[in-house]
Amino acid sequence: AQIRAFSGCERLLLLKDLNKPNIYFTYSWWQSEEDLERYRHSLLFKGVWAFTKALFAEKAEAWSTEEIEALR
C-alpha cells in the first residue's frame, strides 16, 4: 500500500509464477522515470529492499520497459 501511494506510482502488481510457486515478480507503472528513480532512492525503498532482499535465494533482476503497442 505504501509503494502504491508513493508519488508517481500509477499501478503495482505482485505476481507469482504458475509453475514455480517460489518465484515472484512485482510489476509497476510509473508516471515518469524520474518518479521511479525518486522511489528507488527513498527511505521506503531502502526499507522494503532490505527486508525483501534477505528472502532471495538468488540475485534479483529488474528491467525498465516501455510499451510499444497495445495488443488486444
Side-chain angles (χ1 to χ4, degrees), residues 42-69:
S42 72
L43 291 176
L44 174 60
F45 176 82
K46 290 174 183 167
V48 168
W49 183 244
F51 174 81
T52 306
K53 186 177 180 180
L55 302 173
F56 293 166
E58 296 181 24
K59 186 178 183 212
E61 296 182 33
W63 304 274
S64 291
T65 63
E66 66 181 343
E67 184 175 328
I68 55 173
E69 181 179 350

Side-chain angles (χ1 to χ4, degrees), residues 1-43:
Q2 291 178 324
I3 299 170
R4 285 186 180 108
F6 200 89
S7 177
C9 183
E10 295 181 346
R11 188 171 183 201
L12 173 65
L13 300 174
L14 177 60
L15 307 168
K16 183 172 71 170
D17 188 290
L18 288 174
N19 299 308
K20 298 176 185 173
N22 62 324
I23 304 290
Y24 290 85
F25 302 85
T26 57
Y27 191 16
S28 58
W29 288 259
W30 294 86
Q31 290 177 1
S32 69
E33 192 167 342
E34 292 80 16
D35 290 322
L36 175 57
E37 286 303 311
R38 190 167 43 264
Y39 166 66
R40 286 179 174 161
H41 291 94
S42 72
L43 291 176

